[in-house]
Amino acid sequence: MKARAAALTLAALAALGAGAWLDGYGARALLRAERMLQVPPAPLDVPPDRPARIVLLGTSLTAGGELWLRRVRARLEACRPGGVALTRVARPGAAGAWGQARLAEILADPPDLIAMEFTINDSALHRGEPLARAAVRHEAMLAQAARAGVPVLLMTMSPAWGLRAWPRPGQVAYRDAYRALAAQGRAALLDTIALWRALPEPRRRDMVPDGLHPTDEAMAEIFAPALADALEGALCAG
């Protein structure tokens, strides 16, 4: 009974903390089902005789693994004679504030497209920031990229499960903020949450063993084809 009471107390504290962290958006966001949205990037006008330059900006979910990145590169090189240059600017533990600082450096030599993800750490109570502030920061980042003429593809990655979800009680609402920006026409969106949530639980435990970081093989199977599809549509259309 004591253990159950302690668990209920922790759950209540997490819900209260989430309500504050969501800046008035409400803890109801923790309970509602996510509505998926895909907004493909517009075709890019990249000369066919040079590599298309894509920067992947994000967290450990982008920084980790090599197999998935090789598969994306292979798909794009197969459909584009000029090839593709995929550059990762990503760091474990990074959140939107770190990404905003890196964005200024990236735009000093503008790439053809930036694919960006920070919701998993922006939603973390121990390293992120309240939702309203994170949304304003991303609006500023998108405006900064637009001034440089660089389109942005926002990405929702794998969700956090189990103990890894506890420090991220508002993760759904942070992903919804990306969907809202895309729905407003501010950015393209690659929304992969449904792909991860469709995994049977035993398989999901194998593919995301710590509840947060998919294995390289899982990223190659689940995320790489989705990202390649989105980028193919922008780089290889017609």
Side-chain angles (χ1 to χ4, degrees), residues 63-231:
E66 295 294 337
L67 176 62
W68 72 268
L69 195 65
R70 288 199 302 271
R71 289 195 178 176
V72 173
R73 184 180 292 112
R75 279 271 304 272
L76 297 177
E77 288 179 344
C79 75
R80 191 170 190 284
V84 63
L86 293 174
T87 302
R88 282 190 287 196
V89 180
R91 189 187 74 175
W98 180 87
Q100 190 171 30
R102 302 290 79 72
L103 181 64
E105 300 167 2
I106 292 165
L107 294 176
D109 181 17
D112 297 301
L113 181 140
I114 295 170
M116 177 167 56
E117 57 88 12
F118 287 106
T119 62
I120 199 67
N121 286 338
D122 276 346
S123 67
L125 298 175
H126 60 298
R127 61 166 51 108
E129 58 187 354
L131 177 59
R133 191 185 308 160
V136 168
R137 184 185 301 282
H138 277 80
E139 288 174 1
M141 292 167 75
L142 294 178
Q144 187 178 359
R147 287 193 296 271
V150 179
V152 174
L153 173 66
L154 297 174
M155 303 184 294
T156 68
M157 310 295 277
S158 57
W161 282 280
L163 293 177
R164 293 288 196 155
W166 278 74
R168 298 169 173 83
Q171 60 175 311
V172 172
Y174 283 75
R175 292 192 289 265
D176 278 348
Y178 270 23
R179 296 175 184 124
L181 289 168
Q184 295 162 14
R186 303 290 299 276
L189 178 70
L190 173 61
D191 197 347
T192 66
I193 294 300
L195 301 177
W196 297 101
R197 291 224 184 273
L199 294 171
E201 186 174 349
R203 189 152 182 261
R204 188 261 299 167
R205 286 198 300 266
D206 290 338
M207 297 179 85
V208 192
D210 70 349
L212 181 62
H213 301 98
T215 64
D216 195 8
E217 292 75 14
M219 286 286 285
E221 179 179 338
I222 303 295
F223 181 72
L227 179 58
D229 285 345
L231 295 179

Side-chain angles (χ1 to χ4, degrees), residues 26-92:
R28 286 176 298 177
L30 308 181
L31 304 177
R32 72 170 179 272
E34 291 185 80
R35 295 181 180 179
M36 304 306 144
L37 175 69
Q38 303 287 352
V39 179
L44 299 175
D45 186 17
V46 181
D49 59 347
R50 73 159 173 85
R53 297 174 55 227
I54 310 294
V55 172
L56 306 175
L57 177 63
T59 70
S60 58
L61 300 179
T62 292
E66 295 294 337
L67 176 62
W68 72 268
L69 195 65
R70 288 199 302 271
R71 289 195 178 176
V72 173
R73 184 180 292 112
R75 279 271 304 272
L76 297 177
E77 288 179 344
C79 75
R80 191 170 190 284
V84 63
L86 293 174
T87 302
R88 282 190 287 196
V89 180
R91 189 187 74 175

